[in-house]
């Protein structure tokens, strides 16, 4: 009996040795390799037979994908992936996972601010489009396994070491210029003010035209049927029951809450603002704001925090060297206000800090006054804008928006930006920096403000826009169809003042019947006395939308 047991044990040990040896041999014969393409992914054509005809399917392998090596060659190798045998360049294979992110250099696709620390503040140093930067290091911890993008590279520029976001670099010079010819219409109107060729340089050459990947956060699902109302934080905090009641009395499913207004006042006690300004702000604490926002989210509202960016006399007074000035160093007053310069990286950081703080509470952050003031073309030689990098206005606004978007996305929130109505119809930025096709690359949503009473009689062929509000919005939205590549990004502001509930309803009908699902209503500060007469018009007209189940963003 004991002998049989020994034989059985020896047999088991022998089998284990054989299996281990077979595993080692298999790994030696068919070792695991990792896809290490020049870019973020590698596309491989795989031939197959269908109905007696040869067809080719495309298999996309992102950086870091594990494959089994079947046959190694000098130029190409055969690998196995998900049961398919693929031919890939041998240079796109790495023996280690860590080797997937090791590249000698990267090329800057669009002017990009560098950082002294990963995720740190902006330096006063920018890398230019097409510039080659030697890579010092890259970590697999920064590799996005879904997209294959390395989120950060440590690079050398001059004698200094910096960090640069991976989404703004390409593997070679050819890839940098792959996006040089965007399919956008450009008006030459501003050439008369700034010189021949200005418009093409400002709106095409200096902007980033690589489409951004559409995001959808699991704990804050993307919402492309937003029906919102603007209200100041003061009004919301004073009358919460009234605004909660609108959820049942209207088809509203979102509120746009003013957090920093065009006077530069932050309407709550903001730790982010306190880093920059001795504000003395009175109002809700950050925790009280968090509880208020959560109350409305629990009631089914998608909550949007609104921040006015550059029209900010508070910041301009505190940092005059970062503001728009006259050439003799005085703050320039336009329309009874002073402005932070949209070229100022300190102004970028200040607003981005506020947006990041808001992103920790709200489903979405909305930027307003993300532009230059009107009338600068007529004041050339009188104004100091502090244009350190010789940027066009459109380029500065797009890159600022991208920077804020990146920081907001870190908190699983979305970014929208408001624009003048005329920038959509003029095919330029109206000298404000708001070039809509470029902003559609930079933001999740772009909201023009086509208030009918802002248009002169005859605009877009409408005899009296203020009296024909539905027709005005219909024609405007038809133009939007030719400008927005993604219809879900179009979310217009509708006029909710100096009109009737029927006017509001006519505007909503025009937007929805044109094929768009989202709209926002501007009732000034959202005072209940302004909102209430228009409540009956705040209804979706192309069919009641499903009950909102997506406003439950997790608050940490």
């Amino acid at each position: 009996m004991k002998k049989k047991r020994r034989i059985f044990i020896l047999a088991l040990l022998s089998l284990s040795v054989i299996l281990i040896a077979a595993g080692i041999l298999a790994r030696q014969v068919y070792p695991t390799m990792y896809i290490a393409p020049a870019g973020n992914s590698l596309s491989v054509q795989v031939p197959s037979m269908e109905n007696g005809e040869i067809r080719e399917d495309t298999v996309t392998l992102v950086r870091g994908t594990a494959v089994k090596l079947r046959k190694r060659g000098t130029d190409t190798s055969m690998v196995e992936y998900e049961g398919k045998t693929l031919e890939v360049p041998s240079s796109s294979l790495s023996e280690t996972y860590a080797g997937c992110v090791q590249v000698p250099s990267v090329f800057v696709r669009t002017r990009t601010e560098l950082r002294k620390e990963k995720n740190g503040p902006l330096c006063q140093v920018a890398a230019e489009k097409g510039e080659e930067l030697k890579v010092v290091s890259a970590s697999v911890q920064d590799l996005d396994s879904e997209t294959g993008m390395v989120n950060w590279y440590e690079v050398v520029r001059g004698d200094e070491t910096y960090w640069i976001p991976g989404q703004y670099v390409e593997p070679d010079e050819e890839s940098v210029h792959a996006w040089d010819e965007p399919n956008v219409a450009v008006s030459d109107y501003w050439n008369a003010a700034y010189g021949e060729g200005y418009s093409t340089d400002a709106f095409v050459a200096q902007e980033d035209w690589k489409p951004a990947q559409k995001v959808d956060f699991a704990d804050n699902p993307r919402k492309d049927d937003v029906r919102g109302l603007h209200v100041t934080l003061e009004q919301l905090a004073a009358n919460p029951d009234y605004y909660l009641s609108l959820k049942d009395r209207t088809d509203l499913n979102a509120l746009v809450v003013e957090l920093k207004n065009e006077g530069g006042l932050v309407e709550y006690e903001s730790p982010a603002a306190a880093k920059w300004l001795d504000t003395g702000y009175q109002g809700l604490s950050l925790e009280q704001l968090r509880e208020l926002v959560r109350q409305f989210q629990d009631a089914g509202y998608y909550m949007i925090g609104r921040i006015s960016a550059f029209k900010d006399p508070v910041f301009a007074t505190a940092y005059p060297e970062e503001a728009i000035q006259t050439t003799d160093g005085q703050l320039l007053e336009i329309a009874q206000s002073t402005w932070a310069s949209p070229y100022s990286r300190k102004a970028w950081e200040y607003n981005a800090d506020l947006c990041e703080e808001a992103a920790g509470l709200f489903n979405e952050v909305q930027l307003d006054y993300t532009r230059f003031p009107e009338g600068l073309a007529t004041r050339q030689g009188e104004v100091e804008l502090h244009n350190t990098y010789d940027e066009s206005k459109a380029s500065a606004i797009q890159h600022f928006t991208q920077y804020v978007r990146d920081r907001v996305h870190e908190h699983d929130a979305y970014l929208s930006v408001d624009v003048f109505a005329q920038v959509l119809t003029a095919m330029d930025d109206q000298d404000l920096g708001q070039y809509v096709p470029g902003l559609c690359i930079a933001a999740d949503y772009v909201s023009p403000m086509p208030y009918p009473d802002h248009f002169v009689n005859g605009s877009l062929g409408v005899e009296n826009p203020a009296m024909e509000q539905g027709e005005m919005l219909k024609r405007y939205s038809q133009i939007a169809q030719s400008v927005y590549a993604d219809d879900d990004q179009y979310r217009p502001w509708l006029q909710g003042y100096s009109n009737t509930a029927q006017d509001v309803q006519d505007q909503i009908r025009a937007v929805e019947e044109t094929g768009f699902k989202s709209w926002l209503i501007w009732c000034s500060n959202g005072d209940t006395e302004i909102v209430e007469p228009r409540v009956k018009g705040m209804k979706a007209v192309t069919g009641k939308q499903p009950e909102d189940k997506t406003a439950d963003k997790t608050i940490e």
Side-chain angles (χ1 to χ4, degrees):
M1 189 72 179
K2 291 182 179 179
K3 183 177 180 181
K4 289 183 177 179
R5 181 177 296 176
R6 285 198 299 271
I7 293 173
F8 178 70
I9 292 172
L10 287 172
L12 284 178
L13 289 173
S14 299
L15 180 60
S16 298
V17 170
I18 292 171
L19 290 174
I20 292 171
I24 294 173
L25 181 62
R27 286 195 294 273
Q28 290 176 339
V29 175
Y30 300 125
T32 297
M33 303 287 281
Y34 300 90
I35 297 298
N40 297 334
S41 63
L42 176 70
S43 293
V44 182
Q45 300 301 315
V46 182
S48 62
M49 292 292 293
E50 184 175 306
N51 298 325
E53 295 184 358
I54 297 178
R55 52 172 281 182
E56 285 195 337
D57 297 320
T58 300
V59 175
T60 299
L61 305 171
V62 301
R63 189 198 309 264
T65 300
V67 296
K68 289 291 186 181
L69 180 65
R70 291 300 187 184
K71 181 180 180 182
R72 185 192 294 271
T74 304
D75 297 321
T76 62
S77 296
M78 305 304 294
V79 301
E80 183 180 315
Y81 173 72
E82 293 186 346
K84 298 183 179 70
T85 300
L86 311 176
E87 184 178 21
V88 301
S90 299
S91 59
S92 295
L93 292 172
S94 171
E95 294 182 357
T96 65
Y97 187 57
C100 296
V101 301
Q102 303 306 317
V103 296
S105 62
V106 291
F107 292 77
V108 182
R109 187 181 68 253
T110 185
R111 179 186 286 110
T112 304
E113 273 66 33
L114 303 177
R115 328 285 177 88
K116 288 303 291 183
E117 300 174 0
K118 187 195 302 184
N119 286 313
L122 302 177
C123 297
Q124 295 299 312
V125 177
E128 298 297 325
K129 177 178 178 176
E131 188 173 346
E132 182 178 8
L133 298 174
K134 181 182 177 182
V135 174
V136 176
S137 68
S139 170
V140 291
Q141 279 71 42
D142 288 322
L143 175 59
D144 187 325
S145 60
E146 292 185 4
T147 65
M149 184 176 74
V150 179
N151 292 319
W152 290 94
Y153 289 99
E154 187 179 16
V155 297
V156 172
R157 190 174 192 265
D159 297 326
E160 298 286 335
T161 301
Y162 301 95
W163 290 89
I164 189 169
Q167 64 179 310
Y168 300 119
V169 301
E170 299 292 337
D172 49 52
E173 192 169 1
E174 181 181 0
S175 299
V176 167
H177 296 290
W179 312 100
D180 279 358
E181 299 296 333
N183 183 27
V184 296
V186 176
S187 166
D188 292 328
Y189 178 88
W190 295 102
N191 291 357
Y194 294 110
E196 192 62 34
Y198 169 83
S199 296
T200 300
D201 180 59
F203 309 135
V204 177
Q206 290 198 37
E207 294 215 40
D208 186 10
W209 290 107
K210 186 173 184 178
Q213 183 176 8
K214 197 171 185 177
V215 296
D216 193 353
F217 301 114
D219 67 337
N220 181 26
R222 189 178 184 94
K223 186 167 183 59
D224 294 327
D225 61 342
V226 166
R227 305 182 297 279
L229 173 72
H230 170 262
V231 59
T232 63
L233 181 55
E234 180 182 20
Q235 288 290 326
L236 190 70
N239 304 287
D241 290 342
Y242 176 79
Y243 296 103
L244 286 168
S245 77
L246 295 179
K247 191 73 170 55
D248 297 322
R249 298 196 293 137
T250 70
D251 284 341
L252 294 172
N253 61 16
L255 293 175
V256 183
V257 183
E258 193 88 55
L259 299 180
K260 177 162 79 92
N261 63 31
E262 62 189 79
L265 177 66
V266 178
E267 299 185 12
Y268 65 100
E269 295 176 11
S270 164
K275 290 194 310 183
W276 292 87
L277 301 163
D278 183 12
T279 61
Y281 294 143
Q282 300 297 314
L284 300 180
S285 68
L286 185 63
E287 285 308 309
Q288 288 173 324
L289 175 60
R290 185 189 305 275
E291 289 303 314
L292 182 65
V293 171
R294 172 51 88 186
Q295 180 183 5
F296 280 85
Q297 288 173 326
D298 288 344
Y301 276 108
Y302 180 87
M303 296 297 285
I304 303 172
R306 185 170 182 269
I307 290 173
S308 296
F310 298 115
K311 188 177 183 181
D312 188 339
V314 175
F315 182 88
T317 300
Y319 295 91
E321 71 282 3
E322 305 295 330
I324 298 177
Q325 298 175 307
T326 61
T327 51
D328 62 359
Q330 302 300 308
L331 291 178
L332 180 69
E333 187 172 297
I334 295 180
Q336 300 180 323
S337 184
T338 54
W339 292 65
S341 173
Y343 290 128
S344 164
R345 270 40 180 185
K346 282 188 178 179
W348 286 24
E349 290 280 9
Y350 171 58
N351 283 290
D353 282 351
L354 287 172
C355 289
E356 186 171 11
E357 184 172 81
L361 282 68
F362 289 80
N363 300 91
E364 178 179 318
V365 178
Q366 183 184 88
L367 287 169
D368 195 15
Y369 287 95
T370 310
R371 63 177 178 85
F372 289 78
E374 307 96 311
L376 293 180
T378 63
R379 308 186 72 158
Q380 294 182 69
E382 305 173 21
V383 178
E384 175 56 66
L385 298 175
H386 307 289
N387 189 359
T388 303
Y389 302 117
D390 193 27
E391 299 165 280
S392 71
K393 295 182 181 70
S395 173
I397 295 300
Q398 187 202 40
H399 289 107
F400 164 71
T401 304
Q402 286 177 317
Y403 175 57
V404 174
R405 176 200 64 196
D406 296 345
R407 291 184 58 175
V408 165
H409 280 185
E410 287 293 320
H411 297 269
D412 290 0
Y414 303 95
L415 182 72
S416 56
V417 59
D418 295 339
V419 298
F420 266 22
Q422 287 75 13
V423 300
L424 195 72
T425 59
M427 297 183 299
D428 59 39
D429 70 341
Q430 293 292 283
D431 205 33
L432 305 172
Q434 295 181 334
Y435 188 51
V436 172
L439 286 174
C440 286
I441 297 287
D444 297 300
Y445 305 97
V446 180
S447 294
M449 301 176 284
Y451 306 130
D453 73 346
H454 281 32
F455 291 89
V456 300
N457 290 346
S459 296
L460 305 187
V462 180
E463 184 175 349
N464 190 335
M467 298 300 293
E468 303 173 71
Q469 297 190 8
E471 184 63 23
M472 192 67 214
L473 262 295
K474 174 184 175 182
R475 298 193 185 193
Y476 189 88
S477 297
Q478 287 171 340
I479 292 174
Q481 288 179 314
S482 66
V483 176
Y484 284 75
D486 182 349
D487 287 353
D488 291 337
Q489 285 189 293
Y490 178 64
R491 191 193 285 164
W493 280 102
L494 308 181
Q495 183 178 331
Y497 59 90
S498 301
N499 62 2
T500 67
Q502 186 60 53
D503 289 328
V504 173
Q505 179 74 153
D506 289 346
Q507 293 177 73
I508 291 171
R509 182 181 300 277
V511 171
E512 293 188 354
E513 290 186 350
T514 307
F516 298 106
K517 295 180 290 186
S518 295
W519 39 264
L520 305 171
I521 301 174
W522 182 268
C523 287
S524 187
N525 66 354
D527 187 295
T528 59
E529 294 182 359
I530 300 174
V531 174
E532 188 59 30
R534 297 164 180 87
V535 162
K536 290 184 179 179
M538 298 179 185
K539 298 281 187 177
V541 297
T542 56
K544 184 71 176 282
Q545 303 292 337
E547 182 67 19
D548 178 25
K549 301 295 185 183
T550 65
D552 59 345
K553 180 184 177 185
T554 301
I555 304 297
E556 297 180 355

